[in-house]
Structure formats: C-alpha cells, structure tokens
Amino acid sequence: MTEASPMIVSVNISENTGEKKKNVNSCLAVEERGLENDAHAGDWHRQVSLLAVESVDKMRLAGLDVWPGDFAENLTTQGIDLVSLPVGTRFKVGDEVLLEVTQIGKECLKPCAIYYQAGECVMPKEGIFARVLAGGKLEVGDVIEVMLGSGAVKIILKSKPGFGIQNKLNVPDPNMNEKVIKMAGH
C-alpha cells in the first residue's frame, strides 16, 4: 500500500481575527498578501497559516468537537509533517501557488476556547506560517510538493506576543526572519 500524496483537505477563511475559520473549498492566494477575503491577509510574515488534519484528529481523540478551521488555520493539510519543514522551505500547492515557511508555531496572545476545553491547543506547537511567493487558485484536493534545494535552514527562534521574532536587544524587528536566514548563509 502506498501513501497518499500530501494535500489540502480544507481551505479556510474568516472575516475577523480571533475566530474560527470556515471552509470555502477554494480561494485565491494573493502574492505577498495571503488568502483573498481572509482577516489575516496582509503585508507581513504570517500571511497563511497551516495545520495538519492529523493534529486536529489528535484533539478530537482527546474528546473535543473540533474540525478543520477551528484552530483558525487557513489551510488544513494531510500527509505532510509541517513542523519538520525548516523556515525558508518553499512548497508548491496545486498548479500555481508557491508558499515559503516563515514561522513554526506561535505564542498565543491569550488562551483560546480550545485551550480552556482541553488544557492545550495544537496550533502553537504544530501550526506553521507562510508567505505567498506566487499566487493563484487553491482548492481542496490540491497536492503539496516540497521544493527540494529551496535553501531552507532549521532555526528555532523565540518570539514575544505581538512582536514577531526578537533581536538580541529585544527590540521588535519585522525583518529578523530574513536577517537570520542571511546570517545562516542562505
């Protein structure tokens, strides 16, 4: 038996931040913005969020009534170990869209409803964030292809809520991702 190709199982957007996202089945990914009509789209490093359906299933097994989009992820994936993709990894989704991993995990600004129900939330540890390098249509069933030789580097960085990655002086620096990747020789 062969494994299925990594793919998108849910394409999710929301009108406001801080709420569950709804599966819209297909959506336009806009270059250097994110998903069209999504509250998190913008000119920043977390344009698109991704979470594996296997992570959602883990929470369901813990007794929670959760579904793709409930963790406010834009793309729910299947068959790919997202957190093993280093910052800088590029991957193609479907025929047109090219994403680049910009952050692995996140610190929650405040505990969410899931945290209060389960005592933990999977998005901070198992979710990743990406920016849109090439836009196009995304839809459920699109295959995900990790681009080999994309110059990715495995870096673990600590961030503070609302500030993104911090430099040694603990001053917010929106360009720190690019600086760290450059310092690593990529």
Side-chain angles (χ1 to χ4, degrees):
M1 184 162 102
T2 61
E3 281 189 39
S5 296
M7 70 166 76
I8 301 298
V9 297
S10 188
V11 177
N12 313 299
I13 63 172
S14 63
E15 290 182 16
N16 302 298
T17 60
E19 66 184 26
K20 295 178 182 181
K21 295 187 184 290
K22 293 182 177 21
N23 183 6
V24 293
N25 293 311
S26 68
C27 184
L28 185 64
V30 179
E31 186 174 322
E32 294 299 342
R33 294 286 307 158
L35 300 192
E36 187 174 61
N37 299 319
D38 183 63
H40 289 97
D43 184 19
W44 69 320
H45 71 287
R46 288 178 14 189
Q47 297 169 354
V48 179
S49 57
L50 298 93
L51 184 67
V53 73
E54 294 85 355
S55 296
V56 176
D57 290 344
K58 180 172 32 172
M59 298 306 285
R60 290 173 57 81
L61 287 173
L64 296 179
D65 183 21
V66 291
W67 300 94
D70 286 355
F71 295 94
E73 78 277 8
N74 291 120
L75 302 176
T76 313
T77 65
Q78 176 181 309
I80 184 168
D81 183 11
L82 295 172
V83 295
S84 73
L85 300 175
V87 169
T89 300
R90 294 180 178 186
F91 54 99
K92 189 175 177 186
V93 183
D95 294 327
E96 304 172 317
V97 178
L98 182 63
L99 302 177
E100 180 181 65
V101 177
T102 56
Q103 183 175 325
I104 300 167
K106 70 172 199 155
E107 288 187 41
C108 291
L109 297 176
K110 60 181 179 180
C112 64
I114 299 297
Y115 178 84
Y116 287 118
Q117 290 175 28
E120 69 173 325
C121 179
V122 293
M123 194 65 187
K125 294 178 184 171
E126 300 178 28
I128 68 169
F129 298 88
R131 66 186 185 119
V132 182
L133 298 179
K137 186 176 181 180
L138 288 170
E139 54 190 333
V140 170
D142 278 350
V143 172
I144 300 168
E145 177 187 356
V146 175
M147 309 304 289
L148 299 177
S150 63
V153 6
K154 185 92 175 182
I155 304 171
I156 299 172
L157 299 167
K158 181 155 176 67
S159 91
K160 286 190 170 187
F163 288 106
I165 297 170
Q166 303 293 303
N167 61 24
K168 288 182 181 180
L169 299 175
N170 213 24
V171 175
D173 186 344
N175 300 313
M176 188 57 89
N177 278 344
E178 289 80 13
K179 290 177 183 177
V180 170
I181 290 168
K182 186 175 180 179
M183 288 183 335
H186 295 278

